Amino acid sequence: MRQHPITRLGTWAIVGIILFVVTNWWPSIAGKDESAVIAETRPALSKQAAAAAAEAYIAGLNGGSVQATLVMYESDQLLSGYVQKERLVKPYKAEFEKLVPIDYYRVELGGGGKTGFLVDVDLKSGEVIGWQKRSDGAAPSVREGRRIAESYMRQAGKPLESYEMLLPNKTQPYQFAFEHRSAKLGEAKLRQVVEIRGGEVTAYRTELRAPDSHIAWVERQDRAAASMTSWNLIISAAMGLAAIVLMIVHRKRIAFVRGLWLTFTFLVLYWTNNSNMAPAFKTLSSPGADPFLSVDAAPGMVIVMNVVVTLMGLIGYVSLAAGQPLWRDHGMRPWPRWREPAFGVHTTDSMKRGYMIACLMLGLQSLLFFVAEQRFDMWAVTDPSGSLYNLYRPELFPLMAWTAAISEEAIYRFFGIALFKKLLRSTFLAVLVPSMIWAFSHTQYPIYPVYTRFVEVTALGVLLGYAFLKYGFATVLFAHAVMDSLLMSFSLMNIGTAADIALGLVYIVSPALLAVLLRMLHRRFIARRGVSDFRT
């Protein structure tokens, strides 16, 4: 491949860094109050202390000792979204944050391999803010339920005259809610919720329930995101089938061993990650759903995700295989082979370009988010299923940067651009269409409105697409891996320990270390063949 000077890329990298710094530190630069922001809360309480608080509470409630088995990080996403969308963050923090924290610990307690209790603990104060007991008991009559619920409210020190009891509905006949007559945040009213099954109280919590209009809006947004994600799966599967057909047709022109190491790396890292995030799968319950269902389903979710990941790996492999003859037909060679003398130099040059393009991408992403926040009322909520606090080993999280880079660049750049260039006869559309398909898969992140991520990821995809056409596959592979390594390492470093900060820095430089290692190994390989590496 013809090499290109990197000075212009260096200039764009500096522009990207400036944009990243300015847009992320804009509140401080502009002298704005940063207290009107909801972000993931850093726990002041250790998980061990939360487990001890939950055990003590249930011992007093249940009259017996129950052992904590797992502590998860949880978040009330509906409340978080509502206070941000309606610009109620300041009054929430002033009046309700201690009473109804958005982020909290959820502690599993039980024995014999089965969870019997879930206890919610404030991750700052250590106070129990809610609990639930596993029960298959029948819902009470309204009269009996009211008597039991009112008795429990008195024991909890809640004056009944300050509350109005809401009758249970058909979908939740066991739930008795007491709505405060005056305390509310916007249209979100303060409530005490008592659940009764089998003649006993099985759950209690305090909540600020977002109004029905907000809940309906979020549901519509989530349905739109689910629809776009479904389209990504359908079209990506169709692209995988097309790759298989082309791979069979052009089988004599394909080096099938190419892509095996990338696929193997992708699978091992992703399988490891699925096991690592088993606690996170337990947080995937929908608002109002029984959280015990997610707790019980988590082991099965790991298996299901491993199957899905395996299919993704296969689609990535056939994309790498089928893309080879397509690019030859286009008169291009975007992926040099290991045995070629220029492979080592090309790898280190691609790494350098990758870092620069990643800096530009970070700046572009930050600029798009900044504009969306300022002009289109974009907001995001904490996703417990993606929180580092819900991983067995948070220090492994940045390894996921390589899984996204390998699979997505193989499918949507190496194969996708070649396929659509052949079908549409337009370079721009060949770059744009797979970028949009790629963007569909990112709309499930809890950023609202959901089209925000679609626009942002499509723009990044177009940038990566043209970088691929100009510099080749290795450059965009490094660019994608570097960008995700930066973002994931920032999350790891935000945990705050010196070890996490040091490890985050190691992850940031790891793509460079990998490229240098490959260059050294390749130099030895070609030296044994009596050839010197060189630039083409």
Side-chain angles (χ1 to χ4, degrees):
M1 293 182 59
R2 183 167 57 91
Q3 301 296 318
H4 296 264
I6 61 176
T7 52
R8 283 176 295 177
L9 273 183
T11 302
W12 282 112
I14 293 172
V15 171
I17 293 171
I18 293 173
L19 285 174
F20 180 78
V21 171
V22 170
T23 53
N24 280 276
W25 275 270
W26 177 255
S28 299
I29 295 172
K32 293 186 177 181
D33 185 2
E34 294 185 71
S35 65
V37 176
I38 294 287
E40 184 178 69
T41 304
R42 181 183 297 179
L45 190 74
S46 70
K47 288 187 174 182
Q48 293 78 6
E55 289 175 348
Y57 186 88
I58 294 300
L61 182 73
N62 203 43
S65 93
V66 182
Q67 186 175 3
T69 57
L70 184 67
V71 180
M72 299 169 288
Y73 186 101
E74 268 288 5
S75 184
D76 187 339
Q77 294 178 295
L78 278 175
L79 178 59
S80 175
Y82 176 70
V83 299
Q84 292 182 87
K85 187 173 185 291
E86 302 301 325
R87 305 182 186 276
L88 297 169
V89 176
K90 288 184 179 179
Y92 163 75
K93 289 185 175 181
E95 302 175 38
F96 294 100
E97 186 175 30
K98 293 182 179 179
L99 184 61
V100 191
I102 286 175
D103 296 338
Y104 53 91
Y105 282 132
R106 174 160 287 173
V107 184
E108 289 185 9
L109 302 102
K114 193 170 185 179
T115 301
F117 288 89
L118 296 174
V119 178
D120 298 337
V121 180
D122 188 328
L123 46 73
K124 290 184 177 180
S125 67
E127 295 182 6
V128 172
I129 58 174
W131 62 274
Q132 183 167 343
K133 177 182 178 180
R134 186 190 293 269
S135 175
D136 297 324
S141 65
V142 173
R143 182 176 179 181
E144 178 67 7
R146 180 168 193 157
R147 181 187 66 79
I148 297 173
E150 289 181 345
S151 174
Y152 189 87
M153 285 281 287
R154 293 189 191 96
Q155 293 176 21
K158 306 297 181 183
L160 290 175
E161 62 274 12
S162 299
Y163 293 87
E164 177 185 356
M165 197 195 87
L166 307 178
L167 293 176
N169 55 45
K170 293 181 180 180
T171 59
Q172 295 176 312
Y174 48 82
Q175 186 178 104
F176 292 78
F178 294 82
E179 192 171 87
H180 201 281
R181 298 183 185 277
S182 59
K184 64 179 183 177
L185 178 68
E187 296 301 317
K189 297 182 179 180
L190 182 67
R191 305 199 314 177
Q192 311 295 326
V193 179
V194 182
E195 295 184 4
I196 302 166
R197 293 179 174 89
E200 65 173 347
V201 176
T202 57
Y204 174 73
R205 64 183 178 274
T206 302
E207 66 179 23
L208 270 170
R209 188 180 186 279
D212 291 341
S213 58
H214 176 76
I215 295 174
W217 184 87
V218 171
E219 288 175 347
R220 290 194 299 271
Q221 290 285 305
D222 289 344
R223 284 196 298 270
S227 176
M228 285 187 275
T229 301
S230 297
W231 276 112
N232 168 266
L233 294 174
I234 293 169
I235 300 174
S236 297
M239 290 172 63
L241 292 175
I244 292 173
V245 171
L246 290 169
M247 189 172 65
I248 294 172
V249 171
H250 298 287
R251 59 189 178 278
K252 295 182 179 180
R253 304 171 60 198
I254 295 173
F256 287 95
V257 72
R258 303 192 71 200
L260 285 178
W261 275 109
L262 286 177
T263 303
F264 177 76
T265 301
F266 166 83
L267 290 174
V268 170
L269 292 179
Y270 221 132
W271 287 335
T272 301
N273 178 73
N274 288 341
S275 299
N276 191 30
M277 66 181 296
F281 288 131
K282 297 188 177 188
T283 67
L284 290 173
S285 60
S286 302
D290 185 350
F292 286 104
L293 296 177
S294 295
V295 168
D296 296 339
M301 281 292 297
V302 174
I303 296 173
V304 170
M305 284 302 300
N306 282 341
V307 172
V308 172
V309 164
T310 302
L311 293 174
M312 290 170 57
L314 291 174
I315 293 175
Y317 170 73
V318 298
S319 296
L320 290 171
Q324 297 172 43
L326 292 183
W327 283 116
R328 289 197 199 100
D329 291 343
H330 290 306
M332 295 178 62
R333 294 177 58 251
W335 189 16
R337 294 187 178 190
W338 171 264
R339 69 189 184 194
E340 295 180 24
F343 179 90
V345 175
H346 175 73
T347 299
T348 51
D349 284 351
S350 296
M351 173 269 294
K352 296 172 187 176
R353 290 191 293 262
Y355 270 93
M356 293 183 225
I357 293 171
C359 290
L360 175 58
M361 291 170 64
L362 278 177
L364 175 61
Q365 181 187 62
S366 297
L367 177 62
L368 291 171
F369 280 156
F370 178 78
V371 173
E373 288 173 355
Q374 300 298 317
R375 298 296 181 186
F376 300 99
D377 294 326
M378 184 205 82
W379 44 271
V381 298
T382 299
D383 180 9
S385 67
S387 173
L388 269 67
Y389 296 113
N390 283 330
L391 299 178
Y392 285 127
R393 303 298 298 267
E395 63 270 20
L396 298 179
F397 176 63
L399 289 174
M400 285 297 291
W402 287 100
T403 65
I406 291 170
S407 64
E408 293 170 6
E409 295 312 309
I411 297 170
Y412 303 110
R413 246 66 67 185
F414 189 80
F415 178 68
I417 294 177
L419 176 66
F420 287 102
K421 192 175 177 65
K422 187 178 184 68
L423 294 175
L424 303 176
R425 309 291 181 181
S426 165
T427 299
F428 173 72
L429 291 178
V431 170
L432 177 64
V433 172
S435 297
M436 294 172 66
I437 298 169
W438 178 48
F440 281 153
S441 67
H442 291 73
T443 56
Q444 78 274 19
Y445 290 86
I447 296 177
Y448 299 89
V450 295
Y451 63 75
T452 305
R453 285 236 71 188
F454 173 73
V455 173
E456 170 244 334
V457 177
T458 298
L460 295 180
V462 170
L463 175 57
L464 282 170
Y466 279 102
F468 169 84
L469 292 174
K470 187 170 185 178
Y471 301 114
F473 178 63
T475 292
V476 294
L477 184 65
F478 275 107
H480 196 150
V482 169
M483 179 179 178
D484 285 358
S485 293
L486 285 166
L487 294 173
M488 294 176 179
S489 296
F490 292 160
S491 296
L492 179 63
M493 295 162 73
N494 192 51
I495 292 179
T497 68
D500 292 323
I501 294 172
L503 187 57
L505 294 174
V506 171
Y507 276 120
I508 290 172
V509 300
S510 62
L513 298 177
L514 176 63
V516 171
L517 176 62
L518 288 173
R519 171 76 179 275
M520 293 171 59
L521 293 174
H522 183 260
R523 182 178 293 167
R524 292 183 180 182
F525 168 76
I526 62 172
R528 288 198 298 268
R529 300 178 64 199
V531 183
S532 297
D533 60 342
F534 59 87
R535 296 178 184 271
T536 56

